[in-house]
Amino acid sequence: MKNVIAELAKKHECFYLYNENCIIEHTNRLKHDFPQVEFLYSIKCNANQHVIKSVFSQGFGADAASLGEVHLAVQSGLAKNQIYYSAPGKNLLDIEQSMGRAILIADSIHEIRLINRIAKKRNLVVKIGVRINPDFTFYRDGGCSSKFGVDEKQILSFLANNDCFNIKIVGIHVHLRSQELNADILAAYYKKIFLLAERFQRANKNSLEFINMGSGIGIQYSSQDVPLDTESLGQMVNEYMNAFSVTNPETKIIIEVGRYAVGKSGVYVTTVTDRKVSYGKTYLILKNTLNGFIRPSLARLVAKYASETAPVASEPLFTCKDAFEFLTLKEESDFEKVTLVGNLCTATDVITEDIMLPHLECGDVIIITNAGSYGAVLSPMQFSSQEKPAELFMTKNGEILS
Ligand SMILES: *Cc1c(COP(=O)(O)O)cnc(C)c1O
């Protein structure tokens, strides 16, 4: 990999590189460990055309968070019943344009009525899902306030007097959090979703065609993280599914993932453009850091202001303090203490302070890990009218696509 990066760095001062083999490894692991589950890819974490095509070619459907993502999924060749469109605040146009192209997941009672109205105008009965804010969290019973979905109590009482005759609610969607590494916590969450599905079915008086259990599946960011045991999680989910399928043999069980499919597959590569010493501190000035890949700058900002040693995550902007490694192509010798900053005209453009790295000169390369998800898509690339980093994709055959 380092040879490939060195070659590409001759042509590009900063770039993302996504490795298809790594995507295949991660998607295969999910398919292997959860043989009965259908997976969706959450496009919002990385919408690069080669990345999404690669994940879809592994048999994943799409979790679209906008009309634009519905279009991306359609253009990538997915069928209507493989695309689930779930987001708060869909407007009339979003619904009109996505109806017939994706399965709509209503995020509020207002949206249910809006979809019903459009379906009525088109003389259709449209099958939809509804996102629920359940009466539980990841960690305890009892729900909490959320901008997402419809509170469980509200949707159950809506169903009791459902007067929307041009829709049929055939699915539920729950997603409460990201980046969980504890298999027991995730399993307990999934179990509660099956119980919720039973409550829902009783109120809805027909059986569900799908249950979308959302995400939560995390990846190793810090070297302190213990990777999620997907094998034992898969076994527990399998048990719940088997029990549920006795009375609901037709219901599809869905898990959607973003970061797990692609997070580890990407690196961000940038180049030293200057080095200077100020009051005894050595700075390496790098091409497009905060604006090219914002998450290391955000992590350093949080670490600077948080008093705790392990500030609480705020996904997908901040995961944990040591979420990224800074690697070089140099021999591990001749170390010096450096601070890595970017070329923007703002003092906040710092990605890490006082770390030990091999001595680097202008033209040398820094590689930042864990850049496959929430990297390019989150970064403020318009700021300061800098050149955008290239996004390169290495196919399983070693071919580089841009
Ligand atoms: C962002 C998002 C995901 C993906 O989360 P990851 O932590 O990247 O797997 C899944 N479901 C919903 C509803 C989301 O908003």
Side-chain angles (χ1 to χ4, degrees):
M1 202 61 185
K2 286 201 166 176
N3 292 342
V4 176
I5 290 172
E7 259 327 288
L8 294 171
K10 289 180 189 162
K11 270 189 285 182
H12 305 275
E13 271 195 304
C14 59
F15 59 96
Y16 284 88
L17 178 62
Y18 309 120
N19 177 355
E20 184 171 35
N21 279 325
C22 186
I23 295 174
I24 293 173
E25 184 192 319
H26 282 80
T27 49
N28 274 344
R29 193 174 306 146
L30 291 178
K31 288 191 286 182
H32 175 268
D33 291 343
F34 302 79
Q36 305 187 71
V37 169
E38 300 206 14
F39 282 96
L40 307 181
Y41 172 58
S42 301
I43 298 175
K44 78 173 191 286
C45 86
N46 186 336
N48 177 273
Q49 55 163 336
H50 305 299
V51 169
I52 63 180
K53 278 194 186 131
S54 173
V55 180
F56 294 155
S57 73
Q58 296 301 304
F60 281 46
D63 162 31
S66 67
L67 179 61
E69 291 186 354
V70 170
H71 289 320
L72 282 176
V74 171
Q75 282 157 18
S76 305
L78 291 194
K80 170 192 159 184
N81 64 356
Q82 296 175 289
I83 306 169
Y84 293 78
Y85 176 17
S86 185
K90 299 181 206 71
N91 64 21
L92 192 66
L93 189 77
D94 293 331
I95 293 170
E96 283 178 342
Q97 302 265 316
S98 57
M99 191 178 282
R101 295 196 167 94
I103 297 168
L104 281 158
I105 311 283
D107 202 79
S108 67
I109 302 284
H110 168 77
E111 267 187 22
I112 293 176
R113 295 197 184 283
L114 205 53
I115 297 168
N116 184 63
R117 213 170 75 207
I118 296 165
K120 189 169 177 189
K121 222 164 49 185
R122 295 186 185 180
N123 240 330
L124 299 170
V125 175
V126 175
K127 288 182 175 183
I128 67 165
V130 60
R131 181 157 173 181
I132 300 177
N133 177 34
D135 267 352
F136 55 83
T137 71
F138 252 62
Y139 307 104
R140 56 178 171 78
D141 292 332
C144 60
S145 178
S146 172
K147 79 167 198 183
F148 296 106
V150 186
D151 286 1
E152 181 176 336
K153 279 190 195 67
Q154 289 173 19
I155 191 68
L156 294 182
S157 62
F158 172 85
L159 292 175
N161 304 292
N162 186 351
D163 56 353
C164 291
F165 303 112
N166 291 80
I167 50 139
K168 201 171 161 204
I169 302 177
V170 297
I172 59 170
H173 179 207
V174 179
H175 171 73
L176 299 181
R177 60 157 297 178
S178 282
Q179 189 52 27
E180 179 57 60
L181 294 174
N182 183 316
D184 292 327
I185 289 177
L186 276 165
Y189 160 71
Y190 293 142
K191 189 167 190 174
K192 289 188 222 172
I193 292 183
F194 284 107
L195 295 174
L196 166 66
E198 282 169 5
R199 295 195 288 279
F200 189 91
Q201 288 191 147
R202 279 195 295 275
N204 200 30
K205 296 178 198 80
N206 56 44
S207 113
L208 288 169
E209 292 182 14
F210 68 88
I211 302 172
N212 181 341
M213 308 202 288
S215 184
I217 293 184
I219 56 175
Q220 184 182 29
Y221 276 101
S222 156
S223 56
Q224 320 281 314
D225 288 341
V226 180
L228 174 67
D229 182 352
T230 50
E231 196 181 335
S232 76
L233 180 60
Q235 282 166 4
M236 292 186 267
V237 168
N238 227 21
E239 264 176 47
Y240 307 151
M241 284 176 72
N242 288 338
F244 188 80
S245 71
V246 173
T247 44
N248 303 276
E250 305 293 336
T251 311
K252 260 200 275 197
I253 305 299
I254 298 169
I255 292 178
E256 53 194 11
V257 296
R259 70 190 62 207
Y260 193 88
V262 303
K264 301 299 277 186
S265 76
V267 289
Y268 182 65
V269 182
T270 178
T271 306
V272 179
T273 57
D274 200 354
R275 49 174 294 146
K276 63 173 75 161
V277 178
S278 166
Y279 284 82
K281 206 170 162 93
T282 302
Y283 292 88
L284 299 183
I285 300 184
L286 305 168
K287 179 87 173 176
N288 294 354
T289 55
L290 186 155
N291 53 319
F293 180 28
I294 197 175
R295 298 191 76 221
S297 305
L298 290 176
R300 180 242 162 218
L301 199 65
V302 172
K304 184 170 166 188
Y305 290 108
S307 50
E308 315 89 85
T309 46
V312 61
S314 195
E315 294 291 350
L317 299 178
F318 171 75
T319 302
C320 62
K321 266 184 177 177
D322 309 308
F324 309 97
E325 278 184 283
F326 305 99
L327 310 173
T328 72
L329 297 172
K330 282 282 166 79
E331 294 290 309
E332 307 261 312
S333 66
D334 196 11
F335 278 83
E336 61 177 350
K337 191 192 271 184
V338 292
T339 290
L340 302 182
V341 300
N343 57 333
L344 293 182
C345 290
T346 156
T348 55
D349 188 12
V350 178
I351 55 174
T352 186
E353 277 174 282
D354 296 332
I355 62 163
M356 297 303 290
L357 282 183
H359 181 94
L360 299 181
E361 285 292 339
C362 292
D364 284 335
V365 159
I366 294 269
I367 302 160
I368 310 175
T369 59
N370 297 331
S373 52
Y374 308 106
V377 291
L378 269 190
S379 301
M381 292 185 187
Q382 292 190 9
F383 185 47
S384 153
S385 304
Q386 304 280 346
E387 188 191 341
K388 282 185 186 169
E391 286 188 70
L392 307 174
F393 181 85
M394 187 166 78
T395 68
K396 57 183 187 247
N397 306 317
E399 199 186 339
I400 302 291
L401 308 176
S402 57

